[in-house]
Amino acid sequence: MTADDWLSRTRTSYDRVAVSYAHLVRDLLAQAPHERAALASFADLVQGAGGGPVVEVGCGTGRITAHLRTLGVDAFGIDLSPGMIDVARRDHPELRFEVGSMTDLDLADGSVAGLVAWYSLIHIPDDQIGAVFAHFRRVVRPGGPLLLGFHVGDQTTLKTEGYGGHPMNVHVHRRQPVQVAAWLCRNGFTVDSQTTVTSAESRLGGIIVGRREP
């Protein structure tokens, strides 16, 4: 499958489910204290480094971007799916959301103080992860923090239906934290912490906090 194939299928799938997705995941974070703690710790890191704009890459319908704003972070969101961005703008009209891809981030070098990818790496094939992390490093200021959330496991599955029974056609990649951490280190990040959690966000989720090396 070419990059255009899987990106197109991911975009189309999430365009279809955007409205029902927003409804189904709206309150998940309220049921996930460990994830809330990770987001709060990330906000502290950003503010401790002097603040500045923070991008959530793969923001979906904007719930995490909006939560970061309640923590005092100047956050904005980017997502591949125009349908998701439409819902994000509807639900959070005071915030900035843009259509874009983490495989080709349209952001200037060193333009963000931090970056969050919250369960949004799950559709990126293994052979594209390095390029994605290289883009992350390029746009984050030296020393800026990075927060990743992802599903933990060793399998890739094809998701053909979801979020209200709508048809989808996306591969879901579950990965071990040690593998994700190794990819980060090979692409210019230092990993400060990694943990696994079980919550409403994921049956088994991984959370990694890192920072861009100088």
Side-chain angles (χ1 to χ4, degrees), residues 97-112:
F97 294 101
E98 301 174 357
V99 176
S101 174
M102 67 177 70
T103 62
D104 187 20
L105 275 178
D106 188 18
L107 295 172
D109 296 0
S111 60
V112 296

Side-chain angles (χ1 to χ4, degrees), residues 160-175:
T160 59
E161 181 181 294
Y163 307 109
H166 298 284
M168 301 184 75
N169 186 4
V170 292
H171 284 90
V172 178
H173 305 282
R174 293 172 174 81
R175 299 175 170 114

Side-chain angles (χ1 to χ4, degrees), residues 4-91:
D4 286 345
D5 287 337
W6 68 262
L7 283 170
S8 177
R9 293 176 186 181
T10 302
R11 181 186 298 110
T12 299
S13 293
Y14 280 97
D15 282 347
R16 287 193 188 115
V17 304
V19 173
S20 57
Y21 176 95
H23 174 71
L24 290 168
V25 306
R26 192 181 310 276
D27 298 322
L28 289 187
L29 196 59
Q31 306 167 50
H34 297 296
E35 282 92 338
R36 292 200 309 274
L39 289 162
S41 178
F42 173 81
D44 287 344
L45 290 172
V46 171
Q47 291 158 352
V54 166
V55 62
E56 185 196 357
V57 181
C59 65
T61 54
R63 66 193 179 97
I64 301 301
T65 306
H67 182 74
L68 288 168
R69 289 297 291 263
T70 70
L71 298 173
V73 175
D74 181 17
F76 67 99
I78 293 174
D79 198 89
L80 179 67
S81 162
M84 288 288 206
I85 291 298
D86 285 346
V87 174
R89 290 170 174 166
R90 179 200 71 186
D91 289 352

Side-chain angles (χ1 to χ4, degrees), residues 195-209:
T195 188
T196 56
V197 296
T198 298
S199 73
E201 292 278 313
S202 178
R203 277 183 256 179
L204 184 60
I207 296 176
I208 289 181
V209 178

